[in-house]
Each structure stands twice: as structure tokens, then as C-alpha cells.
Amino acid sequence: MSAAPLPTAELHLHLEGTLEPSTILEFAERNQVRLPYRDVDELAARYEFADLSSFLDLYYANMATLRTAQDFADMTDAYLTRAAAGGVVHAEVFVDPQAHTARGIALEEVLAGVGSALAAAPSVHGISTGLIPCVLRDHSASDAMAMLEGVLRSDVQVLGIGLDSAEVGHPPSKFTEVFDRAGAEGLHRVAHAGEEGPPSYVWEALDLLGAERIDHGVRSLEDDELVARLVRQRTPLTVCPLSNVRLRVIDDLARHPLPEMMRRGLVVTVNSDDPAYFGGYLDDNMTALHAACGIDDSGAEQLARNSIEASFLDDARKRVLLARIDAAVTS
Ligand code: HPA
Ligand code: ZN
């Protein structure tokens, strides 16, 4: 595979999942937050997950170190720095506001910090950006609506609304009203579905939430009618291969269904999800896919093109970025 990563859009990235162990300890020290680990090694030793919820326990616990707008800005800027080095030219990133407001951090503090780093990204990193606050699906619908109302009142511009956290037992149907309201306000709508949850959750995300992209969606392959629908509508799936292996959604990267998904005509993109927890950033996912699944130069090119087409960018910016892919593959 070519040495330099292709220009790519990252569409499935949780900002809080970019907190590296060293950053967690640094923020804990600067904010005087006590953690149950003494050093980076003790923390890193906990990065062994049985499933999504065992990861989420650590992911939420480590958020205790995020206190100020500056912390959120620094976290976001560190991600953008690393992403730019890995070929990312556009990033539509998730944040989990309820995980912060639930522990007493003001929504404005979160949005102002993240928003300032994202706004500076085009000039600082050459990356265009969009912010997608996510509903925590294991909290109530009224909590979700309160978060959405707060986001809509904020001066910080958001691109859309998402749905994440513990999937099984929390179907998309729980949040129909919240997503209706977001859609009426002109926000894009995306949802995690079909990661650990069944294909019926993907149907619900499409039919009840108006989801324009499905995050993960790997379990869609269990339902041929659903695959046909996703192919026909060209609904993108934001797949996260290293995440799937680390959360045991897929037992071995060599058996990841991504090549089959591409063969079946699904609009698949590759993303890093929570790169600090799952063993790598977007370019690391591509390198691993090449080694384990034989994704070659033409597969990598298709995935890069899909990522631009699956983004919420306008057509003019999409054309600019697709032309950069053309230039990269012919150079
Ligand atoms: N799935 C659901 N919720 C999440 C994830 C994920 O992979 N990462 C962070 N929140
Ligand atoms: Zn995710």
C-alpha cells in the first residue's frame, strides 16, 4: 500500500475517546482530580475490554479529568494534530455532553472548549470540521431533550445530533421525539446501531430517527433486506475495525466483514471511534486492514472517496477533496 495516507474524512470519532493515558494523568494533575491509578502503566493495563459496556465504564470514569473549557479545547486540538498527520482533511466529531453535565460541568464549558478548537482547525491544521453532540441512549429521553435544547440555545454551531453509549436494551425508538426536534431545527441525524444491537435497531434508526448515516452497522449483514435498503439508499456506514476487535464485536480483524460489505455495494467508511482506547487512529486502522484483510490501493482509494461522499460537506468542498484524492493516487 502507498506510504502516505490518502486525504480522508473521519466521520465516527468520539472526542473523549482520544484522551491518551498520558493526557488523562496530565489533566488529573492540573485539575487536582484523584484517579485510582498511580501512573500511565497502571492505567494502560486496564485497556482490556470484554464488550462495549466494560469499555464505557473506563471511558466515562476517565472523563472526570476534564473540567474546563481549556481541557476540552486541548483534547480536541491534540486529536486534530494527530488526525492531520494521518491524512484526515475533514472531521465530523462526536462529543457526549450529558456525560459532563451529569457530573456538574456546564454545557457551555464543553461546547465553548471543543468549539474553539474546531473553529481554528482549518487554519491551524488544514482540517474542516463539524460537531455532533450525541444522546446517551442509556439515559432518559427527557435528559436527551434537555441536552438538545441546551445545544440549540448555545452560540456554538453544531452540525447534527448522534446517538451513542450502551446499545442493547436502548433501541432508537426511545428517542423519536428528540430526533424529530433536531431534524425540525435543521440538524443532521446519525445514530450508532448494529454494533452490539440487532439489525432491527438499524431499521429503527432509519425509519424512526431519520438517520442519514449509521455508525458501525456491522450487524446489518445479518439481514439481507436491510442490506438491500442501505445499498439502494446509499446510506453510509461508519465502520471502526480496530474498535470492533477490541470490543469483541468481531473476533479477529482477519475475519472483519468490511471487505464483504464493500463487495455487497454498501457505502462503507473507515473510522477510529475511540483511538486512544482501541489501538490507533484512522491511518492505523487502514494499515491494519491492509495487513489483515488485504485492503489494497484500490480498496483504500474507494474508502477515501466514500468518506468524502458520506460527509455532510457541501458539493463544492466535496469536489475539492475528491480532487485531492485524484491527485494523491496519480502522483
Ligand atoms: N459505541 C457506543 N458508544 C460509544 C462508543 C461506541 O463504540 N464509543 C464511545 N461511546
Ligand atoms: Zn462510536
Side-chain angles (χ1 to χ4, degrees):
M1 198 159 72
S2 320
L6 292 173
T8 302
E10 176 135 71
L11 306 175
H12 184 158
L13 179 285
H14 302 264
L15 283 172
E16 297 92 337
T18 69
L19 277 180
E20 295 286 348
S22 58
T23 317
I24 290 165
L25 293 175
E26 182 193 321
F27 285 6
E29 178 146 343
R30 89 181 185 195
N31 292 323
Q32 301 292 297
V33 174
R34 282 181 63 86
L35 291 174
Y37 359 92
R38 267 172 315 200
D39 56 30
V40 169
D41 292 339
E42 241 182 68
L43 172 53
R46 302 196 180 203
Y47 284 38
E48 183 76 41
F49 309 113
D51 54 18
L52 173 58
S53 76
S54 69
F55 153 70
L56 289 171
D57 289 345
L58 185 66
Y59 168 80
Y60 290 126
N62 285 338
M63 288 184 200
T65 60
L66 290 163
R67 305 290 312 173
T68 66
Q70 190 63 52
D71 300 333
F72 287 94
D74 290 350
M75 170 181 72
T76 305
D77 190 66
Y79 160 67
L80 291 164
T81 302
R82 175 63 185 82
V88 173
V89 291
H90 176 70
E92 296 175 4
V93 299
F94 298 137
V95 69
D96 285 330
Q98 291 161 272
H100 308 299
T101 54
R103 55 189 183 82
I105 309 296
L107 177 66
E108 241 346 276
E109 198 83 11
V110 178
L111 295 179
V114 168
S116 66
L118 292 180
S123 58
V124 177
H125 301 288
I127 298 182
S128 47
T129 61
L131 180 58
I132 304 179
C134 285
V135 165
L136 297 188
R137 67 201 305 156
D138 47 351
H139 291 222
S140 69
S142 62
D143 266 16
M145 191 64 99
M147 184 275 283
L148 173 62
E149 296 297 349
V151 165
L152 292 171
R153 277 195 303 273
S154 165
D155 294 335
V156 176
Q157 212 188 328
V158 303
L159 180 63
I161 184 113
L163 178 68
D164 69 2
S165 201
E167 185 179 7
V168 174
H170 302 284
S173 53
K174 189 172 159 187
F175 300 103
T176 306
E177 251 182 81
V178 179
F179 274 65
D180 279 351
R181 170 107 177 89
E185 290 293 327
L187 295 186
H188 287 290
R189 289 168 284 180
V190 300
H192 283 56
E195 179 186 19
E196 285 189 345
S200 64
Y201 284 22
V202 179
W203 285 105
E204 284 191 14
L206 297 170
D207 291 334
L208 303 181
L209 302 189
E212 298 159 77
R213 289 195 300 248
I214 298 297
D215 296 312
H216 293 295
V218 287
R219 289 197 59 195
S220 302
L221 289 179
E222 295 168 25
D223 181 339
D224 287 344
E225 208 181 311
L226 176 58
V227 171
R229 159 105 181 255
L230 294 165
V231 169
R232 190 171 62 247
Q233 289 189 176
R234 294 192 58 73
T235 304
L237 304 182
T238 63
V239 176
C240 307
L242 290 177
S243 164
N244 293 155
V245 174
R246 293 295 281 267
L247 298 187
R248 306 184 193 224
V249 168
I250 306 291
D251 63 359
D252 184 347
L253 192 59
R255 280 192 289 277
H256 196 284
L258 183 131
E260 182 195 345
M261 295 170 90
M262 293 178 75
R263 268 196 308 278
R264 291 182 69 174
L266 289 161
V267 181
V268 180
T269 67
V270 171
N271 306 268
S272 65
D273 207 5
D274 301 282
Y277 290 88
F278 300 150
Y281 288 77
L282 200 156
D283 52 319
D284 300 316
N285 273 266
M286 290 304 302
T287 304
L289 281 174
H290 172 62
C293 303
I295 296 290
D296 60 8
D297 283 352
S298 87
E301 181 184 342
Q302 182 66 56
L303 289 165
R305 287 188 190 288
N306 288 355
S307 76
I308 305 300
E309 272 154 16
S311 75
F312 294 132
L313 286 166
D314 63 33
D315 287 344
R317 171 93 176 138
K318 283 186 184 180
R319 276 197 297 275
V320 167
L321 296 180
L322 289 168
R324 282 177 63 181
I325 298 174
D326 292 338
V329 297
T330 52
S331 64

